[in-house]
Amino acid sequence: MKIVEQIKQPIDYEMELFEQKFQLSMSSKVALLNRITHYIVNRKGKQMRPMFVFLVSKMVSNGEVSERTYRGASVIELIHTATLVHDDVVDESNRRRGFFSINALWKNKIAVLVGDYLLSKGLLLSIDNNDFDLLKIISIAVREMSEGELLQIEKARKLDITEVVYYEIIRQKTATLIAACCSLGAASVKPESDHVERMRKFGELIGMAFQIKDDLFDYGNEAIGKPTGIDIKEQKMTLPLIYVLNQADKKDKRWLINSIKNHNRDKKRVAEVISYVKAKGGLDYAVAKMKEFQEEALQILQFYPESTYKNSLELMVNYVIDRKK
C-alpha cells in the first residue's frame, strides 16, 4: 500500500464525505466560476491539509469528528487553494501539479478574482456558522503567510538573511498553514483546550521540516517536482546556502553573493554554487536541522495514547522528510 493511502486509511470515510462538502462549499450562481472551481476540484493534490485536520481531531477526541471539523477542513482547503491561485499569478506560473494553472487558462484578472472568491467563501463558511474561534486560527495563518512572503522578497533584494530570519520566513510562509490545520482539528472537537496550542506547535514543527526538505530538493539528483537550482535562480536564500555563506571566507562569500545576484541565470555558475554548497556541508547541516524538527514533532505525539490516528500522524511526520517530491 502506498504510504499516503496508509496514512489516510483511518479517515477514509471522513475524507470521502469531506470531498462532497468541499465541492458544495465552492458552488456559485455564476457558470464561469463553477467551471473554474470544477477544474480546481478535479486536479486536487494529496490533500494533506484536510488529512491533518481529521487525524488530529480524531486523535484528541478518541475518534470523534463534528460538523465543525468538516467546516474547518473546508475552510483550510478553500484558503489554501486561494493562495495557490494567487501565487501562480504572482510567479507567472503556467503549470500547477502538471496541469495548466488558472491564470494560464483564464488569464490573470480572472485568476485573482477566483482567488478572492475562494477566500471570501472560506471566511463566510466560518462566520455563517459562528465558528469564530476557527476563523481566528485561519485569519492569523493568512496574515502570517502574507508577511512571510513579503519578508522573503525584502531579504532577497539584499541577500542579508540570517538563519534566525530564515526560520521566521519559513515558519510564516509554510509552517503556519500546517499549524492552523492541526490546531483547527483540535479546536473543532475540543475548543479552548490545551490540545489546541499543543497541536498548533506540532503542525508548526512539521511545517518547518517540510520546508527544509523542499529546500534540499533544489540540490537533489532525483527527478522531483521542480528542477535543480530553481531557488538560486529566483535568489531565494535557503538553509544549505545560508549555512555555507556564514562559514565561508571573504573571497568565497563574495563569489557566492555575486553568483546569486548577477549570474543566477548562468547554468554553469549555478551548478558550481550547488557543488560548493554540497562540498562545504550545507546539505548535511540542513538535514540535521530538519531531523531536529521531526524529532520534536514526534515527541509531542507521545503525549497521546496509542491509536490508529496517532500512528497515521507519526507516518505523516516521517513521510514529510522521506518523500521524494
Side-chain angles (χ1 to χ4, degrees):
M1 194 190 293
K2 280 187 175 170
I3 183 79
V4 177
E5 285 165 21
Q6 212 178 326
I7 292 166
K8 218 178 191 177
Q9 212 173 8
I11 50 164
D12 265 339
Y13 171 76
E14 285 79 10
M15 288 300 289
E16 267 185 48
L17 191 52
F18 160 72
E19 296 225 349
Q20 297 163 25
K21 289 175 184 280
F22 180 55
Q23 286 188 30
L24 281 173
S25 72
M26 276 193 179
S27 65
S28 155
K29 292 190 178 102
V30 179
L32 173 63
L33 249 175
N34 284 335
R35 200 155 72 242
I36 296 170
T37 55
H38 180 74
Y39 179 82
I40 290 169
V41 167
N42 286 341
R43 280 146 194 81
K44 63 181 183 295
K46 295 188 192 79
Q47 293 192 305
M48 303 301 264
R49 286 155 194 85
M51 282 161 67
F52 272 122
V53 175
F54 289 113
L55 286 170
V56 166
S57 162
K58 295 190 95 169
M59 180 182 73
V60 304
S61 66
N62 300 321
E64 297 287 314
V65 293
S66 66
E67 275 304 315
R68 270 164 58 86
T69 317
Y70 287 101
R71 288 197 296 269
S74 292
V75 171
I76 280 281
E77 202 65 350
L78 284 164
I79 305 277
H80 175 58
T81 308
T83 61
L84 294 183
V85 172
H86 282 164
D87 279 353
D88 287 339
V89 174
V90 171
D91 299 338
E92 297 174 0
S93 173
N94 290 324
R95 312 286 289 184
R96 165 71 60 184
R97 299 184 186 121
F99 295 97
F100 285 115
S101 58
I102 304 300
N103 48 302
L105 291 172
W106 284 281
K107 302 289 180 275
N108 282 351
K109 184 177 182 178
I110 288 177
V112 170
L113 292 169
V114 167
D116 291 347
Y117 172 77
L118 295 173
L119 193 63
S120 68
K121 282 294 252 188
L123 301 178
L124 283 168
L125 186 59
S126 295
I127 292 166
D128 290 346
N129 292 284
N130 293 327
D131 296 331
F132 296 113
D133 55 336
L134 306 187
L135 182 60
K136 186 174 182 181
I137 291 169
I138 307 272
S139 301
I140 289 169
V142 173
R143 181 195 71 201
E144 296 222 313
M145 284 155 68
S146 309
E147 284 181 350
E149 283 286 357
L150 287 163
L151 180 58
Q152 185 171 50
I153 291 166
E154 179 193 317
K155 292 297 175 184
R157 287 177 178 164
K158 295 181 188 167
L159 298 186
D160 62 344
I161 192 166
T162 62
E163 202 171 317
V164 172
V165 171
Y166 165 81
Y167 290 135
E168 186 54 16
I169 289 171
I170 69 166
R171 186 191 66 74
Q172 292 185 314
K173 258 189 68 179
T174 305
T176 194
L177 192 61
I178 299 176
C181 296
C182 296
S183 60
L184 228 150
S188 72
V189 285
K190 299 276 185 185
E192 295 178 33
S193 66
D194 293 345
H195 301 292
V196 180
E197 174 54 25
R198 193 181 297 118
M199 286 292 100
R200 187 204 65 77
K201 186 66 187 165
F202 168 74
E204 184 175 283
L205 291 162
I206 297 175
M208 301 292 275
F210 181 92
Q211 188 56 54
I212 296 172
K213 178 69 174 185
D214 251 21
D215 291 356
L216 288 164
F217 282 145
D218 209 43
Y219 297 87
N221 306 317
E222 298 168 77
I224 45 155
K226 64 178 192 176
T228 309
I230 202 151
D231 287 337
I232 294 167
K233 288 187 189 104
E234 291 175 1
Q235 297 188 5
K236 279 184 189 161
M237 298 293 282
T238 58
L239 189 55
L241 191 56
I242 292 163
Y243 173 76
V244 296
L245 263 173
N246 290 339
Q247 306 300 313
D249 59 28
K250 272 187 182 168
K251 181 167 157 282
D252 283 359
K253 200 169 188 172
R254 252 201 321 273
W255 173 78
L256 275 168
I257 288 174
N258 184 31
S259 301
I260 296 156
K261 270 196 166 171
N262 306 314
H263 304 281
N264 56 6
R265 301 278 161 192
D266 177 343
K267 280 185 180 170
K268 185 169 172 285
R269 190 74 168 256
V270 169
E272 283 169 6
V273 170
I274 289 172
S275 296
Y276 179 90
V277 171
K278 285 179 176 175
K280 296 292 181 183
L283 299 198
D284 296 338
Y285 181 78
V287 167
K289 285 289 174 192
M290 175 179 74
K291 287 189 170 164
E292 279 178 30
F293 286 118
Q294 177 202 23
E295 278 308 309
E296 236 185 297
L298 289 170
Q299 280 304 114
I300 290 176
L301 288 182
Q302 295 321 303
F303 182 84
Y304 293 93
E306 288 309 311
S307 67
T308 52
Y309 319 114
K310 178 181 167 178
N311 293 345
S312 279
L313 285 167
E314 284 174 347
L315 275 176
M316 187 89 104
V317 175
N318 296 326
Y319 169 72
V320 158
I321 74 162
D322 295 334
R323 66 200 163 98
K324 298 285 184 268
K325 62 181 180 179

